[in-house]
């Protein structure tokens, strides 16, 4: 599992880890039912504090992307089998709105945004 943390980034380390784990799932590197490394193991591998990994795992659990089973670890949740849940869709819309608004304010138009989104999705899918 390739995870690269940028300590000098303005993005908090737990957020970087959360986002990279989501990206690994989107790319198919991690699949439904796969177990994530233990908090202790991943923290040691990445040279970070266990609390940071724990915070990332709980952020993923809150989003419904993983399930944390006491004494068993973290497992990727089955997500896309029955389509997106309405609660997940609402959260994605709320998180995407300010990003799209900022892109429009900075001068991107609808076509630019659609092209960019398509390019990013193609990259995730390896197309």
């Amino acid at each position: 599992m390739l995870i690269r943390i940028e300590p000098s980034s303005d993005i908090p380390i737990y957020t970087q880890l959360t986002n990279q784990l989501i990206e690994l799932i989107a790319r198919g590197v991690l699949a439904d039912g796969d177990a994530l490394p233990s908090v202790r193991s991943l923290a040691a591998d990445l040279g970070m504090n266990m609390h940071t990994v724990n915070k990332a795992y709980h952020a993923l659990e809150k989003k419904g992307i993983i399930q944390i089973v006491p004494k068993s670890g973290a497992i990727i949740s089955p997500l896309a089998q029955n389509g997106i849940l309405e609660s997940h869709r609402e959260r994605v819309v709320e998180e995407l709105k300010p990003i799209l608004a900022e892109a429009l304010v900075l001068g991107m138009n609808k076509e630019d945004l659609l092209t960019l989104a398509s390019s990013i999705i193609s990259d995730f899918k390896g197309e």
Side-chain angles (χ1 to χ4, degrees), residues 82-93:
N82 298 321
I84 188 167
L85 296 175
E86 185 58 27
S87 61
H88 291 163
R89 184 184 181 289
E90 289 173 6
R91 183 180 47 76
V92 169
V93 168

Side-chain angles (χ1 to χ4, degrees), residues 54-125:
N54 197 39
K55 190 171 182 178
Y57 279 15
H58 282 286
L60 291 167
E61 182 183 39
K62 187 175 178 183
K63 291 177 185 246
I65 294 173
I66 68 170
Q67 297 171 335
I68 298 176
V69 181
K71 302 195 186 242
S72 294
I75 299 168
I76 308 293
S77 297
L79 295 173
Q81 294 175 349
N82 298 321
I84 188 167
L85 296 175
E86 185 58 27
S87 61
H88 291 163
R89 184 184 181 289
E90 289 173 6
R91 183 180 47 76
V92 169
V93 168
E94 288 304 312
E95 290 180 6
L96 200 52
K97 271 185 177 178
I99 294 169
L100 293 175
E102 182 179 343
L104 292 171
V105 167
L106 293 174
M108 293 181 79
N109 61 37
K110 180 179 176 180
E111 290 73 31
D112 294 336
L113 289 168
L114 292 173
T115 299
L116 180 62
S118 179
S119 171
I120 291 170
I121 291 169
S122 292
D123 181 50
F124 287 156
K125 300 293 181 188

Side-chain angles (χ1 to χ4, degrees), residues 44-58:
D45 289 348
L46 298 174
M48 65 175 53
N49 189 304
M50 289 188 339
H51 296 294
T52 303
V53 175
N54 197 39
K55 190 171 182 178
Y57 279 15
H58 282 286

